[in-house]
Amino acid sequence: MPDFQLHHRAALAGVTAINGARIRVSPLPEGTVLQVLGSPAEVGKSGEIAEKYGFSVRKNGPTDRFWVAVQPVSSGFLPEISAQWPELTVVDQSHGRVRMAIEGDAVEDVLAKGTGLDLANFEVGSATTTLIGHIATHITRTAPDRFELMVLRGFAESLWHDLETMSREFI
């Protein structure tokens, strides 16, 4: 038994959601983030597996996907997936990645202040890793006026602060 107990604290527990007329930014639940690696063919087929288990899939390159879900998975889930699909490598990133949503009719204008990504031609369902300021951010367009941003846990508060600053004129 350890001398002390570790207590999970959400990375963005102390922030207040931004709710403006043209922009909204909110932390998303810290459920599950799995990184799935394999050959292009196998990773491409992994979407069917993910949906079977209630995950949404975020592309992160030809041999890499993120599976995200609001709820945490059981401790036996990763061994189960690994046993059923040994050609895939599944790494639990839940402890190290934080997601947030940014939405509204000014969302492209806000994000354009921090990234060089051409958001006007970034279709719903598209995802990539880019920089927002100095922070590597995985960005997914989930609706015409909504994006999901995912960052390493240690950068979540810094990105949140940057989004607050970038959003000011639209609140």
Side-chain angles (χ1 to χ4, degrees):
M1 182 102 195
D3 293 336
F4 59 90
Q5 292 293 320
L6 295 177
H7 298 284
H8 176 74
R9 180 185 73 83
L12 296 174
V15 303
T16 302
I18 300 166
N19 287 305
R22 300 190 59 213
I23 195 73
R24 290 168 302 288
V25 185
S26 56
L28 294 173
E30 291 186 17
T32 302
V33 177
L34 302 178
Q35 189 170 19
V36 180
L37 304 154
S39 71
E42 293 302 326
V43 170
K45 292 189 292 188
S46 75
E48 298 167 13
I49 302 165
E51 288 178 12
K52 175 181 173 183
Y53 289 99
F55 287 91
S56 296
V57 178
R58 311 287 188 254
K59 191 172 184 180
N60 194 37
T63 62
D64 189 356
R65 300 290 185 273
F66 286 115
W67 292 4
V68 298
V70 173
Q71 298 299 321
V73 295
S74 69
S75 60
F77 182 76
L78 290 179
E80 177 185 335
I81 290 291
S82 297
Q84 289 182 40
W85 292 280
E87 59 277 2
L88 297 175
T89 300
V90 182
V91 182
D92 188 355
Q93 297 282 310
S94 306
H95 63 285
R97 301 214 183 236
V98 175
R99 298 179 310 127
M100 54 194 83
I102 181 166
E103 59 188 324
D105 65 5
V107 70
E108 288 182 12
D109 295 325
V110 171
L111 290 174
K113 293 179 180 184
T115 186
L117 190 62
D118 181 5
L119 298 170
N121 292 312
F122 203 68
E123 298 177 7
V124 173
S126 296
T128 193
T129 300
T130 187
L131 289 175
I132 296 183
H134 69 287
I135 301 170
T137 306
H138 188 269
I139 183 170
T140 303
R141 186 170 218 148
T142 57
D145 65 347
R146 186 174 199 269
F147 290 85
E148 176 188 277
L149 308 177
M150 183 168 41
V151 296
L152 292 172
R153 184 178 194 83
F155 291 102
E157 287 181 344
S158 182
L159 179 59
W160 187 271
H161 174 71
D162 290 350
L163 292 171
E164 285 178 322
T165 302
M166 293 163 31
S167 298
R168 273 193 198 125
E169 74 175 284
F170 302 104
I171 296 177

